[in-house]
Amino acid sequence: MCVKLASGGDPVFPFNVKLTGETVQGTSGSFRYFMWLVAQELQSLALPILIECPSASAGENKGKFLLSPKNIDYHDEALLQFFGVLLGVAMRSDVPFAVDCLKPFWTRILNEGLDFDSDLRQSDIITYNFIAGLKALKSESELKELVLKTCPTHFSGDECCPSCPYKFSYASLDGQEVSLRAGTPLISWNNLQLFIDSVRELRRCELTADNMIPIIQCGLESIVPLEPLYLMGPGDLELRTCGQQYIDIGFIKLHTIYQVGISQTDKHIEFFWNVVESLSQEDLRKLIKFACNQERIPFSCPLPGEWSGSVPRAALPYEDSPGGGKG
């Protein structure tokens, strides 16, 4: 994958994907389709690697994902390592791998520490607000007033309500109940701070994912050396791997060349851009998908006159980055 690409031909990718029964020339389109399809499967229930962040249920960061917390087995280890390989393949091939993971994932890939309060708010605003509400309590009477709204039997000595959230257990990111302290079943004013610290530690361990990140790094390092990546920030790494999610029409126009005999001032080209400018972001992604079999444009796009075989090629009356080979 380090060999300089020949201009005018199909890009050289780390492996070829051939779609059975499809009579198409080249393999670049099928490779980009494969990367898009795998990204979709990773973010579905088909594979047990990623889960949608809990903040999505509160209307924030919808469609953003985190690593699913678990005790990994051999099967999970193989999946995580191949996940890392795919991240490296996306970087080396300049084909966006559209896995919409939140900042904590990219931060840990770079072996950086979390900005815990900020990352918790992004990932799980429900827990963030729950902890903030408990921290704001000033007295035991305020705690009792809060708890009794949910569980009238909490302080009576009777059995607590099954749905009471004020016990020394808490739901993990994937919704599984986790015991925080043995032998301390209910929250009181005396152990409130211990409960807050235990919930924070649970989320810290889940977001840090120390049992999974090294395995992903192992797969990634088999394709891309890790040391140069440490010069990036988490946002840079995400952009380099996943491409640009927001499609800027001005950016597309800037990276467009026209075939011989077609001018930017031609009426049908002006009509085309007028239609494109009226499209929503969702429809723009569909247009990019139609033109070059991927929904995002790469992190690095050459200007006209700087084309190489490493960017996809649009089968339209203009050449649009993504594009592949010289027009």
Side-chain angles (χ1 to χ4, degrees):
M1 291 190 297
C2 295
V3 179
K4 182 175 176 60
L5 301 177
S7 62
D10 222 32
V12 178
F13 292 125
F15 51 84
N16 290 331
V17 178
K18 182 69 174 177
L19 300 178
T20 304
E22 295 288 340
T23 55
V24 296
Q25 293 183 347
T27 57
S28 59
S30 56
F31 178 83
R32 291 194 296 272
Y33 176 72
F34 167 80
M35 295 294 285
W36 172 82
L37 186 61
V38 171
Q40 297 301 305
E41 289 187 1
L42 278 168
Q43 295 169 118
S44 71
L45 299 177
L47 294 173
I49 294 181
L50 300 176
I51 56 169
E52 190 171 26
C53 69
S55 289
S57 62
E60 294 198 13
N61 289 320
K62 288 186 176 181
K64 294 292 186 178
F65 290 81
L66 296 164
L67 288 172
S68 179
K70 62 177 65 184
N71 294 318
I72 59 175
D73 56 23
Y74 178 80
H75 176 66
D76 295 326
E77 183 175 343
L79 286 175
L80 289 167
Q81 186 167 353
F82 188 60
F83 181 28
V85 169
L86 290 172
L87 295 176
V89 166
M91 291 184 204
R92 296 292 290 269
S93 62
D94 267 340
V95 173
F97 188 48
V99 283
D100 290 317
C101 293
L102 277 174
K103 180 187 172 185
F105 172 79
W106 305 106
T107 299
R108 295 299 300 131
I109 290 293
L110 297 175
N111 283 336
E112 295 182 6
L114 299 178
D115 180 359
F116 179 70
D117 288 322
S118 174
D119 290 336
L120 177 62
R121 193 185 189 288
Q122 281 190 5
S123 306
D124 187 1
I125 193 171
I126 297 172
T127 296
Y128 178 87
N129 289 337
F130 178 64
I131 292 176
L134 294 178
K135 284 184 173 181
L137 298 175
K138 302 298 184 183
S139 65
E140 185 174 3
S141 60
E142 289 184 2
L143 173 63
K144 287 184 176 181
E145 182 181 355
L146 176 67
V147 172
L148 291 175
K149 290 178 182 178
T150 306
C151 181
T153 61
H154 188 90
F155 297 103
S156 65
D158 298 331
E159 186 175 351
C160 194
C161 303
S163 60
C164 177
Y166 302 103
K167 297 182 290 187
F168 262 79
S169 62
Y170 201 75
S172 63
L173 287 174
D174 60 354
Q176 302 298 315
E177 196 74 12
V178 177
S179 176
L180 301 177
R181 286 288 188 279
T184 318
L186 299 179
I187 297 175
S188 66
W189 181 250
N190 293 331
N191 61 25
L192 178 61
Q193 188 59 50
L194 178 61
F195 174 75
I196 292 173
D197 294 341
S198 299
V199 173
R200 285 173 60 87
E201 184 60 25
L202 172 65
R203 282 294 182 265
R204 188 188 305 276
C205 289
E206 292 176 326
L207 294 178
T208 304
D210 285 337
N211 63 330
M212 290 180 277
I213 290 296
I215 301 172
I216 298 174
Q217 289 174 324
C218 180
L220 175 58
E221 193 170 23
S222 68
I223 306 296
V224 178
L226 290 181
E227 286 75 11
L229 300 184
Y230 296 152
L231 299 175
M232 300 182 182
D236 299 325
L237 180 61
E238 179 183 8
L239 186 60
R240 184 68 182 82
T241 307
C242 303
Q244 305 181 62
Q245 186 171 15
Y246 178 79
I247 299 175
D248 184 347
I249 297 176
F251 183 86
I252 296 178
K253 284 184 175 182
L254 181 64
H255 294 81
T256 298
I257 60 174
Y258 302 89
Q259 292 180 345
V260 177
I262 298 177
S263 169
Q264 185 175 359
T265 57
D266 289 348
K267 280 296 181 183
H268 70 288
I269 297 298
E270 292 180 352
F271 291 152
F272 172 80
W273 286 119
N274 287 339
V275 172
V276 169
E277 289 171 353
S278 70
L279 298 178
S280 65
Q281 283 291 307
E282 181 179 357
D283 289 334
L284 283 171
R285 284 190 286 272
K286 291 178 180 178
L287 174 64
I288 299 296
K289 182 75 166 60
F290 168 76
C292 53
N293 223 352
Q294 62 190 50
E295 292 186 350
R296 297 185 183 182
I297 54 180
F299 165 72
S300 56
C301 291
L303 292 170
E306 300 175 350
W307 295 96
S308 74
S310 64
V311 285
R313 187 175 188 177
L316 293 174
Y318 64 98
E319 297 302 336
D320 161 344
S321 172
K326 292 187 177 181

